[in-house]
Amino acid sequence: MGKQRVLSGIQPTGDLHLGNYLGAIRNWVEMQHHYDSYLFMADLHAITVPHDPAALAESTRRVAATYLACGIEQEYATIFVQSHVPAHSELAWLLMCITPLNWLEDMIQFKEKAIKQGENVGAGLLCYPVLQAADILLYEPDKVPVGEDQKQHLELTRDIAARLNYQFGQDDQPVLRLPEPMIRAEGARVMSLTDGTKKMSKSDPSELSRINLLDSPEQIAHKVKRCKTDSPRGLWFDDGDRPECHNLLTLYMILSGQPKATVAAECKDMGWGQFKPLLTDTLISVLAPIQEKYHAIIDEPGYLDGVLKQGKEKAEAIARPTLEKVKAALGYRVAG
Ligand code: AMP
Ligand code: TRP
């Protein structure tokens, strides 16, 4: 039996941070050896909120180079740009026409983002989960690894596929395959450096709240120096009363690869003045090889374009037949 297929994507809106790495990309790196992996930059999703055209293509390339720098390998994974494969937009339209409006109005992420946008909510923000369903269903993956926040979108994807199968499939022959979600266990949730109760996020207006994977050693030192701390003497894991302390110790634990008990013993008598330089050095040494590889990738003329071209071809070879299958079920006949 061949390997099972997984598919996942990240929106290329801004540079990736430590949360993206520890919560998503690091798992993909591990997973690529066990699954046939399809990993993409969701650049069509990136325009569902106001965006800067001058930055879009560049952000997309930076995210692609970051995937590679973090250890995603072309040999095991197909790395591609969503907008390079037109089947995504095409299937999204077909699915849009069978998706009840009230399913979309119920999406938590839509409600949250719509509140932030105020008056200026585009229809794209509402229809975003249908595009995501198309992204997934085109590749008929066995599993879709995502964070907890995407669970509702995966359920919707299954609902849309089931509805399409019910309306247009034959009993013994569904049109589309329903994917299984693969929701990451909590734990690798990285919190903001300025508020230990909030997730580290690209959309936080404060740069000090996150460590970007491409931050220089000086930026890292500065952000750690300025990060929120508390006053009890000694440091210990406590996600109830000491969210910041808990988050920083957890980061140190994950990045240094030490067991929790070892970190707890090492840090129990430390003050922040002693711990912060330790965390800074650990961050710098974990990020240095990623950054080195990133710059090598970006500096090699044509390399990244080659990876993305090959990714597009491999992705299309899977996506196109699925789209044709759906079109045929809906009653379209191939032109000419
Ligand atoms: P986003 O940056 O929200 O587009 O998320 C891209 C991926 O990174 C998703 O799989 C998220 O679950 C993951 N991710 C984003 N922020 C964090 C965080 N603070 N901790 C852990 N995982 C995260
Ligand atoms: N919506 C996802 C996020 O914000 C990104 C995404 C788009 C995605 N299409 C996808 C994730 C398909 C998994 C599969 O994180």
Side-chain angles (χ1 to χ4, degrees):
M1 226 178 73
K3 282 185 187 166
Q4 287 200 333
R5 186 180 295 157
V6 296
L7 169 124
S8 198
I10 295 188
Q11 281 190 53
T13 32
D15 282 341
L16 299 183
H17 53 71
L18 207 54
N20 296 129
Y21 177 58
L22 298 177
I25 302 175
R26 206 178 53 140
N27 302 315
W28 300 349
V29 172
E30 168 62 28
M31 218 181 282
Q32 68 184 340
H33 300 290
H34 311 290
Y35 293 91
D36 185 21
S37 303
Y38 286 75
L39 303 170
F40 68 100
M41 280 56 72
D43 61 343
L44 297 171
H45 280 90
I47 65 164
T48 54
V49 292
H51 81 289
D52 175 7
L56 182 63
E58 188 54 29
S59 297
T60 305
R61 287 175 63 83
R62 285 168 75 94
V63 171
T66 308
Y67 283 6
L68 293 163
C70 290
I72 303 290
E73 293 177 50
Q74 219 187 346
E75 191 184 335
Y76 306 112
T78 302
I79 304 162
F80 65 100
V81 180
Q82 186 186 28
S83 67
H84 292 178
V85 182
H88 289 248
S89 320
E90 238 182 294
L91 182 62
W93 173 254
L94 303 178
L95 299 181
M96 207 93 77
C97 295
I98 63 151
T99 305
L101 186 56
N102 65 334
W103 288 8
L104 301 180
E105 287 165 341
D106 280 347
M107 293 292 116
I108 298 163
Q109 207 179 58
F110 167 69
K111 290 186 204 163
E112 285 174 0
K113 289 196 181 175
I115 290 169
K116 279 196 204 148
Q117 295 289 306
E119 296 280 290
N120 196 16
V121 179
L125 197 58
L126 180 72
C127 300
Y128 163 122
V130 183
L131 177 59
Q132 182 163 350
D135 298 338
I136 296 170
L137 296 171
L138 277 175
Y139 298 88
E140 305 198 89
D142 296 280
K143 303 217 170 76
V144 183
V146 286
E148 180 69 30
D149 59 330
Q150 295 298 316
K151 196 170 166 204
Q152 204 187 20
H153 291 160
L154 293 195
E155 282 159 7
L156 180 88
T157 300
R158 288 173 58 91
D159 288 345
I160 292 175
R163 190 173 167 93
L164 185 115
N165 288 341
Y166 177 74
Q167 291 187 348
F168 301 101
Q170 311 298 328
D171 275 349
D172 54 341
Q173 201 147 47
V175 187
L176 289 170
R177 181 144 179 249
L178 270 59
E180 295 295 331
M182 191 179 193
I183 306 292
R184 271 189 306 278
E186 285 296 327
R189 194 154 181 247
V190 179
M191 308 311 279
S192 154
L193 296 185
T194 47
D195 178 350
T197 62
K198 270 181 25 195
K199 242 176 68 165
M200 185 177 284
S201 158
K202 283 181 220 151
S203 57
D204 192 313
S206 169
E207 268 298 323
L208 290 176
S209 70
R210 62 186 160 262
I211 303 279
N212 291 321
L213 298 180
L214 301 177
D215 277 348
S216 66
E218 295 71 31
Q219 284 170 311
I220 294 172
H222 177 68
K223 288 176 178 178
V224 174
K225 204 172 268 171
R226 298 279 305 275
C227 76
K228 188 172 172 197
T229 52
D230 55 12
S231 50
R233 284 191 66 81
L235 305 178
W236 60 87
F237 288 95
D238 179 353
D239 57 355
D241 289 337
R242 302 188 70 185
E244 284 80 21
C245 183
H246 186 84
N247 183 42
L248 297 174
L249 287 181
T250 305
L251 275 182
Y252 175 58
M253 173 185 84
I254 296 174
L255 296 169
S256 66
Q258 301 182 87
K260 192 169 178 178
T262 310
V263 170
E266 183 188 358
C267 302
K268 73 177 181 348
D269 298 322
M270 281 188 188
W272 289 114
Q274 214 181 338
F275 177 76
K276 282 185 170 185
L278 186 65
L279 178 62
T280 302
D281 290 347
T282 310
L283 277 164
I284 292 172
S285 65
V286 169
L287 295 184
I290 294 177
Q291 298 184 354
E292 212 172 292
K293 202 161 163 199
Y294 175 88
H295 291 295
I297 290 164
I298 288 287
D299 291 344
E300 188 177 329
Y303 174 70
L304 191 58
D305 291 331
V307 171
L308 297 178
K309 181 162 179 285
Q310 198 196 80
K312 169 194 153 89
E313 284 161 9
K314 283 174 70 186
E316 285 214 294
I318 308 276
R320 178 87 3 222
T322 313
L323 176 67
E324 293 307 332
K325 193 167 68 166
V326 174
K327 285 176 80 171
L330 262 54
Y332 292 99
R333 293 290 166 264
V334 181

